[in-house]
Amino acid sequence: MTTTGEEDTAARGGPLWWARWRSAAFDWSLGLVSAVECAVEGVEFARDAGVPVAAGVVFGLVAGSVLVVRRQWPIAVVLVAIAITPAQMGFLMGIVGLYTLAASELPRRIIASLAGMQLVGTLIVTFVQVRQSMNRGTLTLGDWFVPFAAITTSLGLTAPPLLLGMYVGARRRLMESLRERADSLERELQLLAERAEERAEWARNEERTRIAREMHDVVAHRVSLMVVHAAALQAVARKDPEKAVRNAVLVGDMGRQALTELREMLGVLRSGGARERAAASVPLAVVAAVVVDEGEGPCLADLDELVGQSAAAGMVVELSVDGEVRAYVGEIEQTAYRVVQEALTNVHKHAAGAKTHVRLAHRVGEIAMQVENGPPAEVGSASSAGLPSGGNGLVGMKERVVALGGVFVSGPTEAGGFRVSAVIPAS
C-alpha cells in the first residue's frame, strides 16, 4: 500500500506546517546557521553604515532566521534575501530560499520573476564590490575582470539552486503522480476482484440451478412412471396377476434407466472438476453447461419411446409430427425432448388418466412442440398415484427454452385441461 491519501494524512505528525518532526528540525537548523551567518556579516555592515555593531548583529539575526519559514512562505524568504543583498548578507538564505521556491508548486512566472530579481541584485552588488576593490588597489587585474566576476558570481549563486529546485520539484510531482496512479490501480484491482467474486458466485448459483434442473428432468420422469406403475400394480395384483407381472417388469426397467442416467450425470460432474482445473480460461457459462452437453443426452428420435412409456403407464397419449424431419444441434434436440418429457410428467402428476396430444412441428428456421391434455380423470381413480410436485418443472422448461432464444407459453385450456407450447430457433 502506498503512502498517499488517507495513509499520507495519517503520517503527518510534525508541528505547525511541517509534515514530519525531522523536517522541522532541519529547517530550524538551517535558520540557526543562516542567523549566525547574517549576524557575523552584520558586524561589517554596521561599520560601513556607521551604526552600532549590536544593531547590525540583531538585524542579521532577525533577517537570517527568516529561513525557518522557507517551506510555508518561500516568496517571503527570497524577497528578504534580495532585500539584504546590498548589505552583503544572507548568501545561504538566498541559495536555500531560491531552491525552495523553484521546488514549490508556485506558478513558473513568479519563480522566474523572483529568480531574475535575485540574479540582477547579485550582479549589481558583485559589480560594485569588485569595482571598489580595484579602485582601492586590492585587485590589480584589468577592467575585463569586473563584468566577468559579476556575471560569474551572480550565475553561480542563482542558476544551480534554481535548476536543482526545479528538478527536485518535478521529481516530487512525478512520484506523487505515480503514487496516486498506484493507489488508483490498487482500488481498481480490488473492485475487479470483488466483481470477479460476484460473477463467480453468480456462475456457481447458475451452475447449481442448471444441474438441479437437469437432474429433475432426468429423474423425475422415470420416478413418476415408476410410481404410476406401482399404483397400477397394487390395484391389479390380485385381479390380474399377469398384468401385475408386466407392471413389475416395467417398474424395474424404469428404475434401471433412471439409475443409468443418474450415473452418467454424476460421472460428468466428477470429471468436470479436473477439466475445470486444466482449462481455467474456459468461460464459466460454458463450464455450467458441461452437464448438459457432455453426456449422451436424449434426442428427438427418442420421443416415440418416451410416449410409449407413458402409454404403457396407462396414459392415453398420441404423437403427431409435422414437417420434414431433420437433425438439429444436440442442445436444441435435448431441450425439445426435455420439454415434452416434463410436460408428460406433469400430466402423470396432475391429470392422471387424461387424454394427451403431443405435437411436434419442423418449420423453416425453428422447431415447435406442444403438449396438451384434457381435464383430469375423476379423483380416486386407479390411475391417480398422488405424485408430489416441487413446482420447478415449468420454471425449468422456460429457462431451457429462453436460454436458446425461444418462446415458452403454458397455461390452462378452456376445456379444463393444460397446454404447454414452446418454439425454439433451429440456428
Side-chain angles (χ1 to χ4, degrees):
M1 186 70 180
T2 56
T3 58
T4 60
E6 297 180 357
E7 291 194 358
D8 182 63
T9 303
R12 293 179 175 272
L16 298 177
W17 57 81
W18 285 283
R20 298 173 181 84
W21 280 98
R22 62 182 181 182
S23 300
F26 181 72
D27 286 353
W28 278 99
S29 300
L30 285 177
L32 178 61
V33 173
S34 176
V36 172
E37 176 203 358
C38 291
V40 173
E41 294 168 345
V43 175
E44 186 67 23
F45 167 71
R47 292 173 180 173
D48 294 341
V51 297
V53 175
V57 172
V58 172
F59 175 75
L61 288 173
V62 174
S65 61
V66 177
L67 190 60
V68 175
V69 298
R70 69 184 185 93
R71 297 179 191 265
Q72 186 71 4
W73 296 291
I75 296 179
V77 174
V78 175
L79 289 176
V80 171
I82 295 174
I84 63 177
T85 298
Q88 303 181 26
M89 298 170 61
F91 293 101
L92 176 63
M93 183 168 59
I95 294 174
V96 176
L98 187 59
Y99 161 81
T100 306
L101 180 70
S104 66
E105 301 292 336
L106 293 172
R108 293 301 179 190
R109 63 179 183 275
I110 296 178
I111 298 176
S113 300
L114 293 176
M117 292 172 60
Q118 185 165 343
L119 175 66
V120 172
T122 306
L123 178 66
I124 295 174
V125 171
T126 305
F127 185 88
V128 172
Q129 288 178 349
V130 174
R131 173 63 65 182
Q132 291 176 351
S133 298
M134 293 187 67
N135 292 336
R136 289 194 300 265
T138 306
L139 295 175
T140 58
L141 299 175
D143 293 339
W144 61 270
F145 182 74
V146 177
F148 173 77
I151 294 174
T152 303
T153 303
S154 59
L155 288 177
L157 294 176
T158 305
L162 179 66
L163 296 177
L164 180 61
M166 294 178 63
Y167 166 75
V168 172
R171 183 176 180 274
R172 182 188 301 132
R173 288 188 290 272
L174 176 61
M175 294 302 296
E176 291 177 355
S177 175
L178 292 177
R179 292 193 193 98
E180 292 177 358
R181 185 175 301 179
D183 285 345
S184 177
L185 290 176
E186 186 175 2
R187 288 191 295 268
E188 290 180 2
L189 288 176
Q190 291 177 351
L191 182 60
L192 289 175
E194 293 175 359
R195 290 181 178 177
E197 182 63 25
E198 292 176 359
R199 288 195 298 269
E201 182 64 24
W202 175 86
R204 286 191 291 268
N205 294 333
E206 186 70 14
E207 185 175 0
R208 284 193 292 266
T209 301
R210 294 193 182 196
I211 294 173
R213 183 172 61 240
E214 184 68 15
M215 294 187 68
H216 174 273
D217 293 341
V218 169
V219 177
H221 180 72
R222 303 292 183 189
V223 175
S224 298
L225 291 180
M226 291 171 60
V227 174
V228 172
H229 283 296
L233 176 62
Q234 183 180 4
V236 301
R238 296 182 179 179
K239 297 179 181 179
D240 192 349
E242 294 182 0
K243 188 176 181 180
V245 172
R246 291 195 299 271
N247 287 340
V249 173
L250 289 175
V251 170
D253 291 339
M254 294 294 176
R256 282 187 289 272
Q257 291 176 5
L259 287 175
T260 300
E261 293 183 1
L262 187 58
R263 288 195 189 99
E264 292 177 356
M265 183 178 300
L266 293 177
V268 172
L269 292 176
R270 291 194 185 96
S271 60
R275 283 191 295 274
E276 289 173 7
R277 290 189 295 269
S281 60
V282 177
L284 291 173
V286 176
V287 176
V290 167
V291 176
V292 178
D293 296 338
E294 292 195 5
E296 296 182 359
C299 58
L300 293 177
D302 299 328
L303 282 182
D304 289 332
E305 181 182 358
L306 178 66
V307 172
Q309 292 174 352
S310 295
M315 179 186 295
V316 181
V317 56
E318 295 179 357
L319 172 64
S320 61
V321 181
D322 298 329
E324 182 180 356
V325 178
R326 61 183 185 275
Y328 300 93
V329 179
E331 190 174 3
I332 294 177
E333 294 209 5
Q334 291 179 34
T335 300
Y337 179 92
R338 295 302 188 194
V339 169
V340 176
Q341 182 187 56
E342 180 61 27
L344 292 177
T345 302
N346 287 341
V347 175
H348 284 293
K349 291 180 178 180
H350 307 292
K355 187 175 182 179
T356 306
H357 297 275
V358 179
R359 300 179 180 90
L360 185 67
H362 299 274
R363 302 171 183 170
V364 178
E366 64 182 17
I367 179 174
M369 65 225 66
Q370 184 183 86
V371 179
E372 181 179 353
N373 62 273
E378 296 181 1
V379 179
S381 63
S383 301
S384 179
L387 294 171
S389 175
N392 298 318
L394 294 176
V395 176
M397 284 190 285
K398 184 175 182 179
E399 289 176 351
R400 284 179 177 275
V401 174
V402 172
L404 296 178
V407 178
F408 178 85
V409 178
S410 63
T413 62
E414 296 180 357
F418 199 84
R419 181 186 299 117
V420 173
S421 301
V423 179
I424 303 175
S427 57

